[in-house]
């Protein structure tokens, strides 16, 4: 499985370290990698995010799939990542759609690179030949580190930084990079993913708020994919 909406044009890597947030995208990817027979190690991250509740759902996925899972504690860096509503209490969490300019407030600078760096380091340590994360096309307008150009550049950096210590076929997998959220939901339905065991809401309350960008996008994705949405939202 290589990067692209279908990922069906190449053999799957043997051993993969997956960045597993507990959200819909990375959870569907975890099920897909497992279905393709990958030896899967999952890493989740506490970076002081407002929605740390997502980690509970990462635990659920890891337990159901039976793979190795660790939560990496990076909470101390939250104070260094000021300016994002996900890590800075002084910044209000915006409501609306991801296409809205207000969603820029949810950007955590260099977040994917930070997490992927840890995942790559672990991959090198355990002899894995790939790392994977669930970036998708809906992220492109807002998040610079969810774009194809980032993945290509990051993979090249990894090869240089770890030359002589990783397989020549080491890859950074982002198979949903050109896929819509609704396509990911459809893929999850095909795989039998228990969507109730995923968390999207950036507010991290008892239920999905139904108003923040990730909730709006989640709702829309289930509707467009014509898949029943099991999520309980505070706002109907």
């Amino acid at each position: 499985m290589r990067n692209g909406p279908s990922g069906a044009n190449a053999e799957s890597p043997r051993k993969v370290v997956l960045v597993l947030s507990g959200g819909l995208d990375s959870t569907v990817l975890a099920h897909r990698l497992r279905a393709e027979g990958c030896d899967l190690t999952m890493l989740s991250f506490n970076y002081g995010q407002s929605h740390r509740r997502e980690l509970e759902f990462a635990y659920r996925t890891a337990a159901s799939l039976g793979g190795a899972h660790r939560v990496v504690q990076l909470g101390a860096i939250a104070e260094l990542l000021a300016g994002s509503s996900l890590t800075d209490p002084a910044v209000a969490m915006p409501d609306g759609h991801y296409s809205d300019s207000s969603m820029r407030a949810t950007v955590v600078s260099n977040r994917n690179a930070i997490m992927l760096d840890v995942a790559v380091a672990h991959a090198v340590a355990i002899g894995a030949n790939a790392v994977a994360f669930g970036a998708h096309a809906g992220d492109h307008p807002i998040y610079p580190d969810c774009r194809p150009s980032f993945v290509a550049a990051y993979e090249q950096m990894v090869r240089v930084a770890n030359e002589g210590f990783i397989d020549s076929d080491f890859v950074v997998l982002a198979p949903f990079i050109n896929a819509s959220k609704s396509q990911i939901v459809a893929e999850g339905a095909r795989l039998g993913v228990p969507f109730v065991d995923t968390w999207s809401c950036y507010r991290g309350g008892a239920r999905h708020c139904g108003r923040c960008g990730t909730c709006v996008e989640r709702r829309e994705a289930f509707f467009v994919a014509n898949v029943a949405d099991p999520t309980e939202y505070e706002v109907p």
Side-chain angles (χ1 to χ4, degrees), residues 106-173:
T106 65
V107 173
V108 177
S109 57
N110 217 36
R111 176 176 56 175
N112 281 339
I114 292 169
M115 291 189 281
L116 284 169
D117 275 351
V118 176
V120 168
H122 188 52
V124 173
I126 65 175
N129 64 333
V131 295
F133 73 124
H136 67 94
D139 294 329
H140 297 178
I142 301 298
Y143 302 119
D145 56 1
C146 290
R147 298 170 183 170
S149 56
F150 165 78
V151 176
Y154 186 81
E155 183 176 85
Q156 178 61 25
M157 184 276 293
V158 167
R159 291 178 181 276
V160 173
N162 296 280
E163 186 176 6
F165 294 89
I166 57 174
D167 289 349
S168 59
D169 62 347
F170 191 97
V171 291
V172 177
L173 291 172

Side-chain angles (χ1 to χ4, degrees), residues 180-205:
S180 67
K181 192 85 162 187
S182 60
Q183 287 176 307
I184 296 172
V185 168
E187 174 74 346
R190 182 186 71 81
L191 292 167
V193 173
F195 293 117
V196 71
D197 288 339
T198 64
W199 184 267
S200 297
C201 182
Y202 275 161
R203 287 194 165 88

Side-chain angles (χ1 to χ4, degrees), residues 21-107:
S21 69
L24 197 154
D25 311 319
S26 62
T27 300
V28 172
L29 182 52
H31 280 264
R32 177 160 148 176
L33 290 168
R34 177 65 81 218
E36 292 178 347
C38 295
D39 180 350
L40 189 60
T41 294
M42 292 160 277
L43 295 183
S44 303
F45 293 83
N46 174 7
Y47 56 94
Q49 65 269 43
S50 57
H51 55 302
R52 285 187 293 278
R53 189 167 181 219
E54 67 180 358
L55 298 176
E56 299 172 23
F57 294 82
Y59 276 119
R60 293 186 193 183
T61 294
S64 69
L65 294 178
H69 179 231
R70 295 185 181 182
V71 176
V72 181
Q73 299 296 334
L74 297 178
I77 72 170
E79 63 187 52
L80 304 177
L81 303 175
S84 170
S85 58
L86 273 62
T87 55
D88 189 341
V91 180
M93 184 70 66
D95 292 335
H97 194 275
Y98 265 164
S99 61
D100 298 340
S101 60
S102 61
M103 289 302 115
R104 290 176 62 86
T106 65
V107 173

